[in-house]
Amino acid sequence: MEARTLTRPATALATLLRQQTASAVPRRGHKTFSRTKRSLNIPPHPDFLPSTNPAGGDTIIYNPPSAAPSVFHTPFKFLPPSDPRRRANLSSLFASSNSSAAASSQTPSSATPLPPALNVPSRGDNPRYHLTRDDVAKIRRLRAQDPNLWSVTALARKFDCSEVFITICTPAPREHKERLQRNLDGIKSRWGAIRTKAREDRTRRKEMLFRGEL
């Protein structure tokens, strides 16, 4: 009996150490990668699935963009009782508006005021034409002599003109363009996959914007 009493604290201590060791071992939780991936794997809408028509053929999905609301398409159910468009002569109002629009379209174009003239920001309100042929020849000579030193900005600052005029009268030499292209290629070669894809997406969005697709 005394031996059992003496060994009881040692047994309790061993059990406690075993429980602490088991709790220190990491266990796999229920939020694993595969389970999270399966829970987020939402199937596509049936309209976007391949057609099950036995006759075959392509399926056209027409999803027009939202348009601005128009009073001509507002149902009477959504109009309040105090709205003047609920009057019985609504059709006559539409007819009068259509006739006035047709009459305005038949007016001569000479009576329509023209938009204001555009002011070129690079020239300003009072453009100056102070450069002579000798100045243009000097610009071309300096540009061909050292395109790195006499850049477009430096020449525009020296001759007090716009950078657009410098690029028109003296384009950069071919060797300078090739050197700049090699430097740009070296910079792009150090880009990672994420930055390269971002630049390609930016170029693609710009082309879509110019085509009017955005």
Side-chain angles (χ1 to χ4, degrees):
M1 186 66 182
E2 295 179 358
R4 185 182 303 175
T5 305
L6 293 175
T7 57
R8 185 176 299 172
T11 306
L13 180 60
T15 305
L16 180 61
L17 292 176
R18 185 166 56 253
Q19 292 178 357
Q20 291 180 356
T21 305
S23 62
V25 177
R27 295 183 178 180
R28 184 177 180 182
H30 67 283
K31 293 183 178 180
T32 59
F33 173 76
S34 58
R35 294 179 181 178
T36 305
K37 185 178 180 181
R38 284 197 301 269
S39 62
L40 296 178
N41 188 14
I42 303 175
H45 195 270
D47 293 341
F48 295 94
L49 295 176
S51 177
T52 57
N53 188 7
D58 298 333
T59 302
I60 299 176
I61 301 175
Y62 179 67
N63 186 16
S66 58
S70 175
V71 296
F72 300 101
H73 300 90
T74 304
F76 278 90
K77 184 181 294 185
F78 299 101
L79 295 177
S82 59
D83 197 293
R85 288 172 291 178
R86 280 185 172 272
R87 290 179 296 183
N89 59 346
L90 187 62
S91 58
S92 62
L93 292 177
F94 288 166
S96 62
S97 62
N98 294 334
S99 61
S100 62
S104 61
S105 62
Q106 294 177 359
T107 56
S109 59
S110 59
T112 305
L114 297 177
L118 297 178
N119 294 326
V120 182
S122 59
R123 295 184 179 181
D125 298 334
N126 299 319
R128 296 182 297 112
Y129 304 95
H130 59 285
L131 297 180
T132 60
R133 293 180 180 270
D134 298 336
D135 295 333
V136 174
K138 187 176 181 180
I139 290 174
R140 293 176 178 175
R141 185 174 66 255
L142 293 175
R143 183 66 170 165
Q145 179 181 354
D146 192 354
N148 292 325
L149 176 62
W150 296 106
S151 60
V152 175
T153 306
L155 290 173
R157 189 182 301 111
K158 177 178 176 58
F159 291 92
D160 192 15
C161 61
S162 63
E163 297 181 0
V164 178
F165 179 78
I166 299 296
T167 56
I168 291 175
C169 68
T170 169
R174 181 180 301 176
E175 295 80 6
H176 182 64
K177 292 182 179 179
E178 293 176 354
R179 190 184 310 111
L180 293 179
Q181 186 63 34
R182 287 195 299 269
N183 295 338
L184 182 60
D185 294 340
I187 294 174
K188 289 183 178 180
S189 63
R190 295 190 294 270
W191 288 355
I194 298 178
R195 190 167 188 177
T196 303
K197 186 177 183 303
R199 291 303 177 95
E200 292 176 355
D201 294 344
R202 180 190 298 179
T203 305
R204 192 178 300 109
R205 288 195 303 269
K206 186 183 296 183
E207 294 175 355
M208 294 175 64
L209 181 63
F210 289 156
R211 291 196 300 265
E213 298 178 1
L214 291 179

